[in-house]
Amino acid sequence: MNTYYCKCGRVVNKNTNADNTGNRDVENCAGCPYLMPWGENEYINGRGFQLKVKGYECRMSRSLEYASRFSGNVSDKCVCAVISLDYDFLEQISDWIRQNYPNGELSGFFSREYVRSTDFSSNGRYRYPICCAPNKAGVAAKAALLEHFFNSDGSRKDIIPDEEEKKIKHLIESEKQAAQGVAAKSEQTTDAPEKAPVPTACLCTSCTCSGCKPECFGHCQGCGDPTTECNAYQTEGEKFLPEEPVTLDKAIDLPEPPDQLPPGDALATMTEALPAFDYSGLDAETATHLQNLARRALESKQRYYLDMMEIVYEAHQELVPPWDKRSNQYSESTFRAWCASIGVSKTAAYRLLQVQALMDNSTPEEQETLEKLPAKAIYEIARPSTPAEAVAAAKSGDITSLKEYKELMEQLKAEQAAREAAEQKAQDAQAREEEARATAHQYLVEKEDFQAQRNAMIDRETDWAKRVADAQAAQRNAEQDRDAARDMLEKAKRRANHLVQERDDALEHLDAVNSEMDELRARPIEVAVAEPDPAEIERLAEEKAEHIAAQRTALLEAQMDELARKNLENSRREWSIASSDYDMIVFAAQTIENAWLQAAPAWQRMEQNVRDTLYGNLERAICGIQQALETRRGMREAVEEAPKEGKAAPAPCA
């Protein structure tokens, strides 16, 4: 159970989840201006479907507000709305729009006679939609409407919310009291004889004006209730008088009006050619009357599918609401079953809903233009798949028949086909361009890869040449060091020989000294001196000789040790150089082999003319290496053979 509020503030609990629902317990609500009729729609000959009123209900809402407000954005071209329960205020806005914007900058008609139950959708208040022209003038008119009637926050200018609530409630109570007073007075006079009203002349059949004002409705009593029978009233104060006979295309599966159309499709006869009627044999008054009746008949046919559209739409709104009623009875299948009960097929029902959606998305002027279209044309235009250009043409009046619609569709299809062909051609050209770019890019990538490989090969060759040059320089340095070591060895040998010679000379000198000493000993002493001790002399001579020999020997041994050390260092250096040279030669051989293994695939991929160009480079490099090897081999053989033959060894090749 949920709580709902009537317009008078009455609280009612009802087992439903709808935002708005009806309350038919209105025993004490007679006269309330917000009561809505309910009942069944039935077809009346020549007038279409009319609501057969069974009673009245109050539309309740889960929340209730009384303050009028402006809803929408004044800076865009979209539809805005006035939300209010004050019918006088809404009529005031409607009149202001009609007086200030006769050219359609703003459009929106309000009449309390056309209020629908589904329009009380904003917290119990009525929603009055207003459309603006899709241009700057329409946006400015919407801003002027807001400035004239509302504050900047959308609230009403001329009355505060509390006063407006009091006004609405006072109106409801006063109307209810007036209605109850009239009912009581009627009960008191039931026994009095009722005087028949004097009917006034009906103007519906003779009026030829293009529009009717509300004050004219009181003059239609001669044809019955103006709210149900007067054609001008039914068309919202607008009498449509086509300049030529109006025909409707054949609709699909619509029910036939009882006792009016032949069996089959209800709108089938509207596509049949109408025979011409000769009015020449009639008097002017009769001819005029019959011509007006013919217009009414054609207008009734034209209105038939529009009436069916409204009926099916309202049934769909009731049975398939935008909220969850948590009941299987409120579903699309229930809606289709109800349509079948009145003779409307599923296809026809959803076609009519498409037409209603088209009308809802149109301005009042566009709706007026669309209503003049044949049924078949409006059905085709209302399809969701219809291009926006065709819909705009129909709304603007550029399409007036199904033939024109088909011609426009053929034109649009041809333009679409041409556009698609142009797009496909552009796509093909773009694809070819992209393919060419991809090929060029691939060529550039391969070229860059080849250049990178070539640069890497050049770098390796440069590095190899540098290493060869370094090896040759190291070899030359080693040879120089070896020659220097040999020179030093020769010098050391010569020095050793010199030292040996000096030692021999010293020994000879010692022998000479000894000989002299012996000779001196043998001579007679001419002076009286003490004779030296021979043993002492011999000892001193031996000591001096040993001292000189020890010095010479130590010096010679030091020179020999230094020579041996230098020879050992030179041998080690020569061994290191020889080992390094060996490793360098092995590395060079491996480098040459690896370089060729890496270059061989590239050599195989190259064109023959490129191979011919590079062949000379490879041949020169290989021949240079081979020539160097043969030159060294020849020098070695010459060096080995020279001592045998007594020839000088050849000089090494530069």
Side-chain angles (χ1 to χ4, degrees), residues 384-396:
S385 59
T386 301
E389 296 87 344
V391 175
K395 290 181 178 180
S396 62

Side-chain angles (χ1 to χ4, degrees), residues 224-239:
D225 185 0
T227 62
T228 58
E229 300 184 10
C230 178
N231 181 61
Y233 196 98
Q234 293 175 32
T235 56
E236 303 182 7
E238 194 79 20
K239 180 183 287 293

Side-chain angles (χ1 to χ4, degrees), residues 223-375:
C223 64
D225 185 0
T227 62
T228 58
E229 300 184 10
C230 178
N231 181 61
Y233 196 98
Q234 293 175 32
T235 56
E236 303 182 7
E238 194 79 20
K239 180 183 287 293
F240 300 99
L241 299 175
E243 297 180 358
E244 57 185 15
V246 178
T247 59
L248 294 181
D249 294 308
K250 181 179 178 181
I252 55 171
D253 297 325
L254 290 177
E256 64 180 41
D259 303 326
Q260 182 66 22
L261 297 179
D265 199 332
L267 299 180
T269 57
M270 297 182 184
T271 60
E272 298 176 358
L274 299 177
F277 182 80
D278 186 9
Y279 292 94
S280 60
L282 304 176
D283 59 86
E285 182 179 358
T286 303
T288 301
H289 190 189
L290 290 177
Q291 288 173 355
N292 287 326
L293 290 177
R295 291 192 184 97
R296 288 183 60 189
L298 295 176
E299 291 170 4
S300 178
K301 290 182 179 181
Q302 178 72 12
R303 291 290 305 176
Y304 178 68
Y305 83 90
L306 297 174
D307 292 338
M308 287 299 302
M309 174 190 70
E310 295 178 358
I311 291 168
V312 171
Y313 173 74
E314 291 185 12
H316 190 267
Q317 289 293 101
E318 289 294 330
L319 293 176
V320 191
W323 55 84
D324 181 14
K325 288 192 174 183
R326 302 185 185 281
S327 172
N328 292 332
Q329 293 302 316
Y330 296 89
S331 62
E332 294 286 352
S333 59
T334 304
F335 165 70
R336 292 193 291 268
W338 181 86
C339 290
S341 69
I342 63 171
V344 178
S345 69
K346 177 182 71 174
T347 304
Y350 287 106
R351 283 284 185 88
L352 291 171
L353 290 178
Q354 292 174 359
V355 175
Q356 181 64 48
L358 175 64
M359 294 295 185
D360 291 342
N361 293 324
S362 305
T363 64
E365 291 79 4
E366 293 172 345
Q367 292 177 4
E368 181 179 349
T369 303
L370 292 173
E371 288 176 357
K372 296 178 182 180
L373 290 173

Side-chain angles (χ1 to χ4, degrees), residues 6 22 29 114 123 190 210 217 226 283 307 335 356 358 375 391 412 415 434 504 529 541 547:
C6 296
C29 297
Y114 297 104
N123 294 330
T190 51
S210 60
F217 296 159
D283 59 86
D307 292 338
F335 165 70
Q356 181 64 48
L358 175 64
V391 175
L412 293 177
E415 293 176 355
E434 291 178 354
D504 294 340
V529 292
H547 177 70

Side-chain angles (χ1 to χ4, degrees), residues 478 481 485 564-580:
D481 292 341
R565 184 181 65 79
K566 289 184 178 180
N567 289 336
L568 180 60
E569 290 179 355
N570 290 334
S571 298
R572 290 178 178 176
R573 186 183 298 109
E574 290 178 356
W575 169 255
S576 176
I577 293 172
S579 178
S580 177

Side-chain angles (χ1 to χ4, degrees), residues 444-458:
L444 291 176
V445 170
E446 293 179 354
K447 181 179 179 182
E448 290 176 356
D449 292 341
F450 173 76
Q451 187 67 27
Q453 294 176 2
R454 180 174 178 273
N455 293 336
M457 185 182 298
I458 292 174

